[in-house]
mmCIF file of all heavy atoms in Angstrom:
data_model
loop_
_atom_site.group_PDB
_atom_site.id
_atom_site.type_symbol
_atom_site.label_atom_id
_atom_site.label_comp_id
_atom_site.label_asym_id
_atom_site.label_seq_id
_atom_site.Cartn_x
_atom_site.Cartn_y
_atom_site.Cartn_z
ATOM 1 N N TRP C 4 -4.430 6.867 -8.009
ATOM 2 C CA TRP C 4 -3.212 6.137 -8.597
ATOM 3 C C TRP C 4 -2.068 6.173 -7.630
ATOM 4 O O TRP C 4 -1.406 5.140 -7.481
ATOM 5 C CB TRP C 4 -2.898 6.879 -9.943
ATOM 6 C CG TRP C 4 -1.836 6.177 -10.751
ATOM 7 C CD1 TRP C 4 -2.101 5.348 -11.800
ATOM 8 C CD2 TRP C 4 -0.389 6.275 -10.594
ATOM 9 N NE1 TRP C 4 -0.860 4.842 -12.293
ATOM 10 C CE2 TRP C 4 0.147 5.413 -11.579
ATOM 11 C CE3 TRP C 4 0.410 6.938 -9.725
ATOM 12 C CZ2 TRP C 4 1.508 5.252 -11.759
ATOM 13 C CZ3 TRP C 4 1.817 6.758 -9.885
ATOM 14 C CH2 TRP C 4 2.309 5.924 -10.848
ATOM 15 N N ALA C 5 -1.779 7.297 -6.963
ATOM 16 C CA ALA C 5 -0.674 7.385 -6.096
ATOM 17 C C ALA C 5 -0.906 6.454 -4.874
ATOM 18 O O ALA C 5 0.045 5.860 -4.405
ATOM 19 C CB ALA C 5 -0.465 8.838 -5.644
ATOM 20 N N ALA C 6 -2.163 6.382 -4.400
ATOM 21 C CA ALA C 6 -2.382 5.516 -3.236
ATOM 22 C C ALA C 6 -2.212 4.060 -3.648
ATOM 23 O O ALA C 6 -1.674 3.263 -2.822
ATOM 24 C CB ALA C 6 -3.835 5.721 -2.727
ATOM 25 N N ALA C 7 -2.646 3.660 -4.825
ATOM 26 C CA ALA C 7 -2.416 2.296 -5.322
ATOM 27 C C ALA C 7 -0.936 1.981 -5.499
ATOM 28 O O ALA C 7 -0.442 0.927 -5.191
ATOM 29 C CB ALA C 7 -3.222 2.056 -6.589
ATOM 30 N N LYS C 8 -0.189 2.989 -6.034
ATOM 31 C CA LYS C 8 1.258 2.823 -6.179
ATOM 32 C C LYS C 8 1.897 2.644 -4.871
ATOM 33 O O LYS C 8 2.822 1.786 -4.735
ATOM 34 C CB LYS C 8 1.783 4.046 -6.896
ATOM 35 C CG LYS C 8 3.337 4.069 -7.091
ATOM 36 C CD LYS C 8 3.760 2.958 -8.079
ATOM 37 C CE LYS C 8 5.260 3.011 -8.304
ATOM 38 N NZ LYS C 8 5.737 1.938 -9.212
ATOM 39 N N LEU C 9 1.525 3.430 -3.860
ATOM 40 C CA LEU C 9 2.129 3.280 -2.531
ATOM 41 C C LEU C 9 1.818 1.906 -1.949
ATOM 42 O O LEU C 9 2.681 1.297 -1.273
ATOM 43 C CB LEU C 9 1.568 4.426 -1.590
ATOM 44 C CG LEU C 9 2.087 4.453 -0.171
ATOM 45 C CD1 LEU C 9 3.644 4.496 -0.117
ATOM 46 C CD2 LEU C 9 1.530 5.624 0.527
ATOM 47 N N LEU C 10 0.560 1.460 -2.089
ATOM 48 C CA LEU C 10 0.222 0.113 -1.570
ATOM 49 C C LEU C 10 1.084 -0.954 -2.263
ATOM 50 O O LEU C 10 1.532 -1.893 -1.644
ATOM 51 C CB LEU C 10 -1.286 -0.098 -1.853
ATOM 52 C CG LEU C 10 -1.767 -1.517 -1.495
ATOM 53 C CD1 LEU C 10 -1.544 -1.801 -0.029
ATOM 54 C CD2 LEU C 10 -3.314 -1.556 -1.790
ATOM 55 N N GLU C 11 1.243 -0.862 -3.599
ATOM 56 C CA GLU C 11 2.093 -1.794 -4.297
ATOM 57 C C GLU C 11 3.504 -1.737 -3.784
ATOM 58 O O GLU C 11 4.184 -2.802 -3.597
ATOM 59 C CB GLU C 11 2.051 -1.528 -5.826
ATOM 60 C CG GLU C 11 2.807 -2.508 -6.632
ATOM 61 C CD GLU C 11 2.815 -2.207 -8.151
ATOM 62 O OE1 GLU C 11 2.348 -1.046 -8.458
ATOM 63 O OE2 GLU C 11 3.139 -3.071 -8.934
ATOM 64 N N MET C 12 4.084 -0.550 -3.634
ATOM 65 C CA MET C 12 5.450 -0.447 -3.142
ATOM 66 C C MET C 12 5.598 -1.011 -1.754
ATOM 67 O O MET C 12 6.610 -1.681 -1.419
ATOM 68 C CB MET C 12 5.892 1.105 -3.143
ATOM 69 C CG MET C 12 5.996 1.726 -4.509
ATOM 70 S SD MET C 12 6.022 3.551 -4.432
ATOM 71 C CE MET C 12 7.455 3.806 -3.352
ATOM 72 N N THR C 13 4.640 -0.777 -0.866
ATOM 73 C CA THR C 13 4.662 -1.275 0.468
ATOM 74 C C THR C 13 4.657 -2.836 0.473
ATOM 75 O O THR C 13 5.422 -3.457 1.192
ATOM 76 C CB THR C 13 3.433 -0.779 1.244
ATOM 77 O OG1 THR C 13 3.457 0.652 1.309
ATOM 78 C CG2 THR C 13 3.457 -1.324 2.676
ATOM 79 N N ALA C 14 3.812 -3.410 -0.428
ATOM 80 C CA ALA C 14 3.712 -4.881 -0.516
ATOM 81 C C ALA C 14 5.041 -5.452 -1.028
ATOM 82 O O ALA C 14 5.555 -6.432 -0.521
ATOM 83 C CB ALA C 14 2.553 -5.294 -1.382
ATOM 84 N N ARG C 15 5.575 -4.846 -2.083
ATOM 85 C CA ARG C 15 6.765 -5.376 -2.662
ATOM 86 C C ARG C 15 7.978 -5.252 -1.768
ATOM 87 O O ARG C 15 8.942 -5.998 -1.896
ATOM 88 C CB ARG C 15 7.037 -4.722 -4.084
ATOM 89 C CG ARG C 15 5.942 -5.004 -5.100
ATOM 90 C CD ARG C 15 6.415 -4.838 -6.499
ATOM 91 N NE ARG C 15 5.351 -4.963 -7.454
ATOM 92 C CZ ARG C 15 4.839 -6.112 -7.798
ATOM 93 N NH1 ARG C 15 5.332 -7.268 -7.332
ATOM 94 N NH2 ARG C 15 3.878 -6.206 -8.711
ATOM 95 N N ALA C 16 7.939 -4.254 -0.797
ATOM 96 C CA ALA C 16 8.963 -4.145 0.161
ATOM 97 C C ALA C 16 8.829 -5.108 1.324
ATOM 98 O O ALA C 16 9.672 -5.198 2.162
ATOM 99 C CB ALA C 16 8.980 -2.711 0.700
ATOM 100 N N GLY C 17 7.703 -5.910 1.294
ATOM 101 C CA GLY C 17 7.494 -6.887 2.352
ATOM 102 C C GLY C 17 7.078 -6.338 3.694
ATOM 103 O O GLY C 17 7.229 -6.963 4.736
ATOM 104 N N LYS C 18 6.489 -5.113 3.695
ATOM 105 C CA LYS C 18 6.056 -4.500 4.923
ATOM 106 C C LYS C 18 4.660 -4.943 5.285
ATOM 107 O O LYS C 18 3.658 -4.174 5.087
ATOM 108 C CB LYS C 18 6.158 -2.982 4.853
ATOM 109 C CG LYS C 18 7.622 -2.495 4.550
ATOM 110 C CD LYS C 18 7.571 -0.970 4.393
ATOM 111 C CE LYS C 18 9.001 -0.446 4.165
ATOM 112 N NZ LYS C 18 9.031 1.020 4.010
ATOM 113 N N VAL C 19 4.523 -6.208 5.737
ATOM 114 C CA VAL C 19 3.207 -6.842 5.923
ATOM 115 C C VAL C 19 2.396 -6.026 6.990
ATOM 116 O O VAL C 19 1.193 -5.907 6.853
ATOM 117 C CB VAL C 19 3.410 -8.278 6.369
ATOM 118 C CG1 VAL C 19 2.076 -8.913 6.691
ATOM 119 C CG2 VAL C 19 4.127 -9.021 5.286
ATOM 120 N N GLU C 20 3.071 -5.514 7.946
ATOM 121 C CA GLU C 20 2.383 -4.851 9.127
ATOM 122 C C GLU C 20 1.688 -3.564 8.595
ATOM 123 O O GLU C 20 0.749 -3.062 9.275
ATOM 124 C CB GLU C 20 3.374 -4.517 10.218
ATOM 125 C CG GLU C 20 4.399 -3.424 9.911
ATOM 126 C CD GLU C 20 5.543 -3.907 9.030
ATOM 127 O OE1 GLU C 20 5.607 -5.133 8.712
ATOM 128 O OE2 GLU C 20 6.351 -3.038 8.591
ATOM 129 N N ALA C 21 2.073 -2.977 7.483
ATOM 130 C CA ALA C 21 1.525 -1.739 6.981
ATOM 131 C C ALA C 21 0.403 -1.978 5.914
ATOM 132 O O ALA C 21 -0.174 -1.008 5.450
ATOM 133 C CB ALA C 21 2.576 -0.854 6.431
ATOM 134 N N LEU C 22 0.248 -3.233 5.500
ATOM 135 C CA LEU C 22 -0.666 -3.474 4.411
ATOM 136 C C LEU C 22 -2.125 -3.023 4.637
ATOM 137 O O LEU C 22 -2.773 -2.423 3.784
ATOM 138 C CB LEU C 22 -0.643 -4.968 4.020
ATOM 139 C CG LEU C 22 0.673 -5.484 3.463
ATOM 140 C CD1 LEU C 22 0.604 -7.014 3.155
ATOM 141 C CD2 LEU C 22 1.157 -4.717 2.217
ATOM 142 N N LYS C 23 -2.616 -3.335 5.830
ATOM 143 C CA LYS C 23 -4.026 -2.970 6.115
ATOM 144 C C LYS C 23 -4.228 -1.482 6.086
ATOM 145 O O LYS C 23 -5.200 -0.941 5.503
ATOM 146 C CB LYS C 23 -4.383 -3.505 7.494
ATOM 147 C CG LYS C 23 -5.904 -3.264 7.920
ATOM 148 C CD LYS C 23 -6.809 -4.008 6.961
ATOM 149 C CE LYS C 23 -8.239 -4.099 7.559
ATOM 150 N NZ LYS C 23 -8.911 -2.811 7.628
ATOM 151 N N GLU C 24 -3.319 -0.740 6.668
ATOM 152 C CA GLU C 24 -3.445 0.732 6.675
ATOM 153 C C GLU C 24 -3.403 1.286 5.286
ATOM 154 O O GLU C 24 -4.231 2.172 4.913
ATOM 155 C CB GLU C 24 -2.286 1.343 7.511
ATOM 156 C CG GLU C 24 -2.319 2.864 7.538
ATOM 157 C CD GLU C 24 -1.061 3.479 8.159
ATOM 158 O OE1 GLU C 24 -0.263 2.702 8.665
ATOM 159 O OE2 GLU C 24 -0.900 4.709 8.121
ATOM 160 N N GLU C 25 -2.484 0.830 4.457
ATOM 161 C CA GLU C 25 -2.373 1.373 3.074
ATOM 162 C C GLU C 25 -3.520 0.872 2.229
ATOM 163 O O GLU C 25 -4.031 1.696 1.384
ATOM 164 C CB GLU C 25 -1.059 0.873 2.450
ATOM 165 C CG GLU C 25 0.185 1.243 3.184
ATOM 166 C CD GLU C 25 0.402 2.785 3.240
ATOM 167 O OE1 GLU C 25 -0.411 3.514 2.711
ATOM 168 O OE2 GLU C 25 1.407 3.180 3.864
ATOM 169 N N ALA C 26 -4.081 -0.318 2.399
ATOM 170 C CA ALA C 26 -5.214 -0.793 1.725
ATOM 171 C C ALA C 26 -6.445 0.059 2.072
ATOM 172 O O ALA C 26 -7.278 0.437 1.187
ATOM 173 C CB ALA C 26 -5.466 -2.267 1.989
ATOM 174 N N ASP C 27 -6.637 0.305 3.337
ATOM 175 C CA ASP C 27 -7.749 1.153 3.829
ATOM 176 C C ASP C 27 -7.656 2.540 3.182
ATOM 177 O O ASP C 27 -8.682 3.081 2.796
ATOM 178 C CB ASP C 27 -7.788 1.263 5.329
ATOM 179 C CG ASP C 27 -8.230 0.023 6.011
ATOM 180 O OD1 ASP C 27 -8.859 -0.871 5.337
ATOM 181 O OD2 ASP C 27 -7.953 -0.215 7.231
ATOM 182 N N GLU C 28 -6.530 3.072 3.139
ATOM 183 C CA GLU C 28 -6.315 4.425 2.562
ATOM 184 C C GLU C 28 -6.617 4.450 1.078
ATOM 185 O O GLU C 28 -7.270 5.362 0.572
ATOM 186 C CB GLU C 28 -4.866 4.906 2.769
ATOM 187 C CG GLU C 28 -4.562 6.265 2.182
ATOM 188 C CD GLU C 28 -5.459 7.419 2.705
ATOM 189 O OE1 GLU C 28 -6.101 7.246 3.802
ATOM 190 O OE2 GLU C 28 -5.539 8.467 1.998
ATOM 191 N N PHE C 29 -6.192 3.419 0.372
ATOM 192 C CA PHE C 29 -6.537 3.369 -1.049
ATOM 193 C C PHE C 29 -8.032 3.282 -1.309
ATOM 194 O O PHE C 29 -8.619 3.950 -2.148
ATOM 195 C CB PHE C 29 -5.892 2.115 -1.732
ATOM 196 C CG PHE C 29 -6.419 1.927 -3.111
ATOM 197 C CD1 PHE C 29 -6.005 2.729 -4.179
ATOM 198 C CD2 PHE C 29 -7.395 0.963 -3.365
ATOM 199 C CE1 PHE C 29 -6.592 2.582 -5.472
ATOM 200 C CE2 PHE C 29 -7.940 0.831 -4.659
ATOM 201 C CZ PHE C 29 -7.564 1.632 -5.667
ATOM 202 N N VAL C 30 -8.719 2.408 -0.513
ATOM 203 C CA VAL C 30 -10.130 2.218 -0.634
ATOM 204 C C VAL C 30 -10.842 3.542 -0.369
ATOM 205 O O VAL C 30 -11.850 3.897 -0.960
ATOM 206 C CB VAL C 30 -10.677 1.093 0.265
ATOM 207 C CG1 VAL C 30 -12.226 1.044 0.184
ATOM 208 C CG2 VAL C 30 -10.098 -0.255 -0.210
#
């Protein structure tokens, strides 16, 4: 849940360069 929340927060902040890293971590 926390990993998904962090991924959502990263995306809503527009940090496109970090999306792949956060998505991999959630998976």
Side-chain angles (χ1 to χ4, degrees):
W4 189 96
K8 177 68 177 178
L9 180 55
L10 176 58
E11 183 182 13
M12 291 166 59
T13 301
R15 296 202 185 282
K18 298 179 180 178
V19 178
E20 69 284 353
L22 293 181
K23 183 65 166 65
E24 178 188 354
E25 302 297 358
D27 286 342
E28 176 61 18
F29 169 76
V30 174

